[in-house]
Amino acid sequence: MRNFILALAAATALVMPAKAADVTVAVTAIVEHPALDAVRDGVKEALVEAGYKEGEGLKFLYESAQGNPGTAAQIARQFVGEDPTVIVPISTPSAQAVVSATRDISVVFTAVSDPVGAQLVKDMDKPGGNVTGISDMSPVADHVALIKEVTPDAKSIGFVYNTAEANSVSTLAALKEEATKAGLQVIESVATKSAEVQGATRALVGRADVIYIPTDNTIVSAFEAAVGVAEEAKLPLYAGDTDSVQRGALAALGFNYFDVGKQTGEVVVRVLKGEAPGDIPVKVAAGTDLVINKKAAEKMGVTFSEAVLSRASRVVE
């Protein structure tokens, strides 16, 4: 009888789904800044809500590449060697590094503007293979409309970006298309590392009527440098992510990145419960918020209309 019970227990263990004790979620980001940190925290929160708790079975790993693509590749190889259940790369550079490093381990990327353009998946609806994720493709048409509404006299938009970030190249193409429709010119300025952000922003003074900072990890990591130039020149500065408004942008229409992280975490949970990543469509993150900064607007010579104030999800005083 005892042998029968032991055999039954062993057979049951073989068919039971993996417990939290059996899973490792490895998260990596190209750099640490508020938006990407919020994504990481949102992923962890979604895991907790699904019953996967760090210290109670779940092993949660996190590494930042500190803005270095070479380091991102090293982290990707390190994670693959540790064979986690799921790898969650945050941002396009980190996602590209991880996807290049493994075809076996499940990958759920997030905060990637153009997953197809970045060659992470061939098709958003049918990603196939071991990869899926959440896109944060910016609502660029809405951004241009906001710029026109808040600064109606603007004729040109200065765009500061890193040409090595595929997401920014895609955003630039979309911005040029939408700006042309609105009768606006786009003036580019490049910074390939955070130390160049101030100079790249200063290069737009006298050339552009407003500045638009996309969800570019290089630029956002040194966002205060761009803000300092904009305030000194009284040049209105808009951001592609709402977390940058607290840091000095006058306005942004974008995602709540903690919510983006939670949406990503929900996909991770589906994978942990047995779904194949390649069978889960890549989705664009849901929800956009309008966040404005009155103090920054004053410093940049802008006054918000009552219509804009009434639509704002949050107002930074």
Side-chain angles (χ1 to χ4, degrees):
M1 187 63 165
R2 179 175 178 275
N3 289 339
F4 173 76
I5 293 172
L6 290 174
L8 180 61
T12 303
L14 289 175
V15 298
M16 287 287 285
K19 297 179 181 179
D22 302 321
V23 304
T24 298
V25 176
V27 180
T28 181
I30 188 62
V31 71
E32 291 177 284
H33 63 63
L36 300 191
D37 294 348
V39 175
R40 175 199 62 208
D41 295 343
V43 170
K44 184 178 288 189
E45 178 65 20
L47 289 170
V48 169
E49 290 179 358
Y52 296 91
K53 298 180 181 179
E54 190 176 12
E56 296 181 18
L58 169 69
K59 187 176 181 181
F60 189 92
L61 307 176
Y62 174 73
E63 293 285 351
S64 166
Q66 304 299 328
N68 189 321
T71 303
Q74 291 175 0
I75 292 169
R77 290 193 294 270
Q78 172 192 327
F79 278 171
V80 170
E82 295 178 7
D83 195 28
T85 317
V86 181
I87 302 178
V88 183
I90 304 173
S91 76
T92 300
S94 289
Q96 289 173 319
V98 170
V99 170
S100 295
T102 181
R103 293 185 179 181
D104 301 315
I105 299 170
S106 296
V107 177
V108 179
F109 61 75
T110 186
V112 171
S113 296
D114 185 1
V116 176
Q119 299 183 330
L120 301 177
V121 295
K122 291 182 178 180
D123 188 287
M124 296 277 280
D125 293 327
K126 299 177 180 178
N130 63 316
V131 181
T132 189
I134 297 292
S135 167
D136 67 340
M137 175 61 76
S138 294
V140 176
D142 294 335
H143 291 172
V144 171
L146 180 66
I147 290 170
K148 290 279 288 184
E149 181 179 10
V150 177
T151 45
D153 295 332
K155 299 293 187 292
S156 57
I157 302 171
F159 185 81
V160 188
Y161 73 116
N162 181 356
T163 51
E165 291 210 21
N167 58 310
S168 297
V169 175
S170 299
T171 301
L172 175 61
L175 178 65
K176 285 182 175 179
E177 181 178 348
E178 296 301 332
T180 298
K181 293 177 186 176
L184 296 169
Q185 179 186 7
V186 176
I187 301 171
E188 303 171 37
S189 191
V190 175
T192 59
K193 52 188 176 183
S194 58
E196 297 175 358
V197 171
Q198 184 179 59
T201 309
R202 187 164 283 128
L204 293 170
V205 176
R207 299 173 60 218
D209 296 323
V210 301
I211 296 174
Y212 172 69
I213 304 292
T215 54
D216 183 300
N217 298 294
T218 301
I219 313 306
V220 174
S221 68
F223 196 79
E224 286 77 8
V227 170
V229 173
E231 290 180 349
E232 181 182 351
K234 285 196 174 297
L235 195 57
L237 185 148
Y238 296 84
D241 73 284
T242 55
D243 290 291
S244 291
V245 177
Q246 185 72 44
R247 300 170 69 189
L250 70 87
L253 182 66
F255 302 107
N256 177 314
Y257 275 89
F258 183 79
D259 288 344
V260 172
K262 289 193 68 175
Q263 293 170 51
T264 306
E266 289 165 2
V267 177
V268 173
V269 169
R270 291 174 64 181
V271 173
L272 292 177
K273 290 186 175 180
E275 288 190 59
D279 293 338
I280 303 174
V282 176
K283 297 292 187 182
V284 176
T288 55
D289 294 332
L290 172 60
V291 181
I292 60 177
N293 186 324
K294 282 186 174 181
K295 188 174 181 181
E298 183 179 347
K299 290 180 179 178
M300 297 170 190
V302 173
T303 301
F304 292 116
S305 67
E306 286 301 321
V308 171
L309 288 169
S310 66
R311 293 204 317 275
S313 308
R314 181 162 60 92
V315 177
V316 178
E317 297 290 347

